[in-house]
């Protein structure tokens, strides 16, 4: 599959294998992926104000290249995510993360407020990790950005301000990039 554009909602109930760079776009309608997505290509979503829901693993069998989740609606990510490039969420819509890990070779950028629905690990390979808004949720947050000085971790919003995180482990002993925080509240 290499992309679909509709004025109405899109729902995919079967596993998807990308056969090329793929854009899934709607005119302010929801996009729902009820199974896995694999394929060594770029995945782009553009639902306007519609929501996006991913209930299966993304790139767990064959890592996707770059991942760009656009639109102003809420983005719900479940399962394990693997990318060989970058991952970016754009727009003001919040990001609900209900899976265990998001791993990319390139940078990860989250524009909207992030809500954790499970213990979550964010990992890049010597690339930046940027959260432009708040992070909340009664779960553990773990980040690793690699051993490069370019692997900065930036947390622009308050972490745990509305719902305290259970713990926050930011970076590792090998991470040499800058760490920028505003404030963190945990229960642990």
């Amino acid at each position: 599959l290499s992309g679909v554009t509709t004025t109405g909602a899109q729902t995919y109930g079967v596993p998807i294998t990308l056969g090329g760079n793929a854009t899934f776009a709607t005119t302010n309608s929801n996009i729902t992926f009820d199974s896995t997505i694999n394929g060594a290509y770029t995945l782009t979503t553009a639902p306007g104000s519609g929501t996006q829901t991913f209930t299966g693993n993304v790139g767990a069998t064959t890592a996707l290249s770059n991942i760009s989740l656009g639109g102003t609606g809420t983005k719900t990510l479940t399962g394990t995510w693997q990318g060989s490039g970058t991952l970016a969420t754009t727009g003001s819509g919040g990001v609900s993360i209900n899976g265990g890990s998001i791993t990319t070779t390139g940078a990860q950028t989250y524009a909207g407020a992030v809500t954790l629905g499970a213990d979550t690990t964010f990992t890049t390979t010597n690339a930046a990790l940027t959260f432009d808004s708040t992070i909340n949720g009664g779960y553990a947050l773990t980040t690793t950005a690699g051993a490069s000085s370019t692997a900065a971790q930036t947390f622009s919003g308050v972490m745990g301000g509305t719902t305290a995180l259970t713990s926050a482990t930011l970076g590792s002993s090998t991470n040499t990039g800058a760490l920028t925080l505003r404030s963190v509240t945990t229960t642990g």
Side-chain angles (χ1 to χ4, degrees), residues 39-158:
Y41 296 97
T42 296
L43 170 67
T44 302
T45 59
S49 62
T51 64
Q52 300 169 60
T53 304
F54 298 83
T55 60
N57 293 333
V58 174
T61 303
T62 303
L64 275 61
S65 180
N66 297 311
I67 302 167
S68 176
L69 307 179
T72 59
T74 301
K75 300 152 185 76
T76 301
L77 317 181
T78 304
T80 299
W81 285 59
Q82 298 276 342
S84 63
T86 62
L87 182 146
T89 69
T90 60
S92 59
V95 182
S96 296
I97 301 177
N98 301 320
S101 67
I102 298 177
T103 303
T104 58
T105 302
Q108 294 180 33
T109 303
Y110 300 88
V114 172
T115 302
L116 302 182
D119 293 345
T120 306
T121 300
F122 299 89
T123 304
T124 68
T125 304
N126 301 326
L129 187 55
T130 304
F131 295 87
D132 290 332
S133 189
T134 58
I135 303 173
N136 286 288
Y139 295 93
L141 168 69
T142 303
T143 64
T144 303
S148 169
S149 62
T150 61
Q153 296 182 62
T154 304
F155 301 88
S156 297
V158 173

